[in-house]
Amino acid sequence: MEPDPRPTGELNDQMVADEERISRNRQALHDAHLDLFICALPINVLLLSGYWPVIGNAICVFTSDGQTQLFVPEDERPFTERSWADRVVTFSAGSLYSLDGLINMIWTPLSEWLSTIAAGQTRIGLEGGPAHVPASYVAMNVFGEALPELVRSMLPHASFFIADQHLARLRSTLTDMEIENVRTACAVAAVAFEEGRMRLRPGVTERQAANAFRATLSAPGQGFKSIARADGQTFCMSGPNSYNAAAAFQHSSDRRLRSDDIVLIHCNSYADGFWTDITRTYALAKASELTQKIFATILEARHAALDVIRPGARSADVDRVARSVIKQCGFGDQFKHGLGHAVGYHAIDHNARPRLHPMSSDVLETGMVFNVEPGIYIEYFGGVRHCDMVAVTETGAELLTPFESTTDELFLFSETAAA
């Protein structure tokens, strides 16, 4: 017997609603003179509903009265219990009875619901421009132009507007609940760093070291039972290879760690859609005078930056303070990138506000979450970077990664010798 292809809709009352986020989303619609957002990029579905789609097939409709409707593949339904959507409609994303594409599968549930809320000159905000989206799975669907075309065919008399700037603005400041989610992701990473550093020793390859740090990210332990999905990427770059950590991406090789290496560990972890960007650099052997000076400079630049972070501070000034410390210590040309960028809905997006960069015009606001990552990279010697997660509060900076931030913790030669 052929299964019933019709979608199912049911009320969703599992997760406590983020009322602060819902209010902000409503205000954004009001300010933009829009009646609803229709979004499919996972970061925007998360923003509008609290649900982080697995493979990018979900669509969220958020209306000016704060109603949230999710359309998700039926096999993702259990994960939507973490959303605050008022109603979840599921659809079959594939079966043995049809090879219909995703657009055909979602057409009926989406069009039926839109017809009940949108008519005449409804003003609809859609995604439209280039996007930087963290991968929620090994492969992701991206609707692209198909979503605007789909909605226009359903609502021919509505008015459509590209809402990317409004959505980016909403993502730039996190609510208290969202910052708590980032704290959780940072806490998971803290456990991974604590356990991973004990496995750093001469003879292991960079890939083996990176895997030792990553293992805990996907199995964070008893203290994190509330997390539905956690994992991430870790990279190890050692000795002269760590110089290349200044690049836009990180890469672990088969190089074996040596007893006199500095070892840079970069981590982008997530917990239910909220990301971290964390780096720690370790010295395996007794540090040379140059290594000691570099570490001391990096940590001094970090402290200087944290001291000036507060609402109203200019991002460029935060970068300048840290960069001045590094320059005064003789390493100005070796700090090759901006001091930081927004993190939370993204792991790494150098265009996400706030941008801590010499040319940035961004001003810090309460609720902004970003990384602070002073670094020094010397060719043939290596690179040292210390990357923390920070939230802006009314009184200054909240350090979300208060671990392994002294040379006593980062110089591992005694532990290595004991191993």
Side-chain angles (χ1 to χ4, degrees), residues 177-255:
M177 286 182 64
E178 291 166 341
I179 293 175
E180 184 59 33
N181 289 334
V182 177
R183 287 194 192 97
T184 299
C186 290
V188 171
V191 176
F193 274 93
E194 180 181 358
E195 296 190 5
R197 59 179 267 164
M198 303 305 296
R199 294 174 174 81
L200 292 178
R201 64 194 65 190
V204 304
T205 67
E206 291 180 353
R207 289 193 175 93
Q208 289 171 333
N211 288 338
F213 281 78
R214 183 181 179 185
T216 306
L217 296 179
S218 58
Q222 295 297 312
F224 302 98
K225 288 184 176 180
S226 63
I227 300 174
R229 293 156 60 197
D231 206 337
Q233 298 285 339
T234 55
F235 302 91
C236 173
M237 304 175 77
S238 63
N241 283 358
S242 58
Y243 168 79
N244 298 317
F249 63 91
Q250 314 293 277
H251 173 71
S252 304
S253 75
D254 285 327
R255 180 186 185 275

Side-chain angles (χ1 to χ4, degrees), residues 143-200:
F143 281 91
E145 282 297 317
L147 181 61
E149 292 175 3
L150 179 67
V151 177
R152 288 187 181 103
S153 67
M154 295 174 179
L155 301 172
H157 301 297
S159 300
F160 299 92
F161 302 88
I162 300 303
D164 293 340
Q165 289 187 344
H166 302 290
L167 295 164
R169 173 64 182 157
L170 284 168
R171 294 194 304 266
S172 69
T173 55
L174 275 59
T175 67
D176 290 343
M177 286 182 64
E178 291 166 341
I179 293 175
E180 184 59 33
N181 289 334
V182 177
R183 287 194 192 97
T184 299
C186 290
V188 171
V191 176
F193 274 93
E194 180 181 358
E195 296 190 5
R197 59 179 267 164
M198 303 305 296
R199 294 174 174 81
L200 292 178

Side-chain angles (χ1 to χ4, degrees), residues 53-105:
V54 178
I55 57 175
N57 286 354
I59 291 175
C60 181
V61 182
F62 183 92
T63 64
S64 57
D65 61 357
Q67 294 296 301
T68 308
Q69 181 88 4
L70 273 175
F71 301 84
V72 301
E74 56 192 16
D75 50 4
E76 290 188 28
R77 178 64 181 88
F79 292 115
T80 65
E81 294 180 357
R82 301 192 62 78
S83 81
W84 60 76
D86 298 284
R87 187 173 295 274
V88 176
V89 173
T90 62
F91 58 90
S92 172
S95 75
L96 293 176
Y97 302 94
S98 172
L99 283 174
D100 283 347
L102 176 60
I103 296 300
N104 289 335
M105 294 290 188

Side-chain angles (χ1 to χ4, degrees), residues 207-354:
R207 289 193 175 93
Q208 289 171 333
N211 288 338
F213 281 78
R214 183 181 179 185
T216 306
L217 296 179
S218 58
Q222 295 297 312
F224 302 98
K225 288 184 176 180
S226 63
I227 300 174
R229 293 156 60 197
D231 206 337
Q233 298 285 339
T234 55
F235 302 91
C236 173
M237 304 175 77
S238 63
N241 283 358
S242 58
Y243 168 79
N244 298 317
F249 63 91
Q250 314 293 277
H251 173 71
S252 304
S253 75
D254 285 327
R255 180 186 185 275
R256 294 189 179 276
L257 274 57
R258 295 174 45 174
S259 60
D260 58 348
D261 274 345
I262 53 174
V263 182
L264 186 149
I265 302 293
H266 176 90
C267 171
N268 293 120
S269 61
Y270 65 76
D272 291 332
F274 288 90
W275 290 80
T276 71
D277 190 16
I278 304 168
T279 304
R280 296 292 185 265
T281 308
Y282 304 95
L284 292 190
K286 187 172 180 59
S288 67
E289 288 187 12
L290 176 59
T291 299
Q292 292 181 48
K293 182 179 181 180
I294 291 174
F295 271 84
T297 300
I298 290 295
L299 295 178
E300 183 181 351
R302 166 187 182 265
H303 286 299
L306 294 177
D307 283 346
V308 299
I309 291 172
R310 60 179 55 87
R314 295 177 65 249
S315 296
D317 289 341
V318 181
D319 178 281
R320 177 182 53 79
V321 167
R323 197 171 298 275
S324 295
V325 170
I326 294 174
K327 184 176 181 179
Q328 290 168 7
C329 292
F331 300 107
D333 292 340
Q334 283 74 49
F335 185 16
K336 300 175 180 295
H337 51 69
L339 183 66
H341 52 78
V343 186
Y345 279 96
H346 306 83
I348 300 176
D349 179 356
H350 294 285
N351 292 316
R353 288 175 170 81

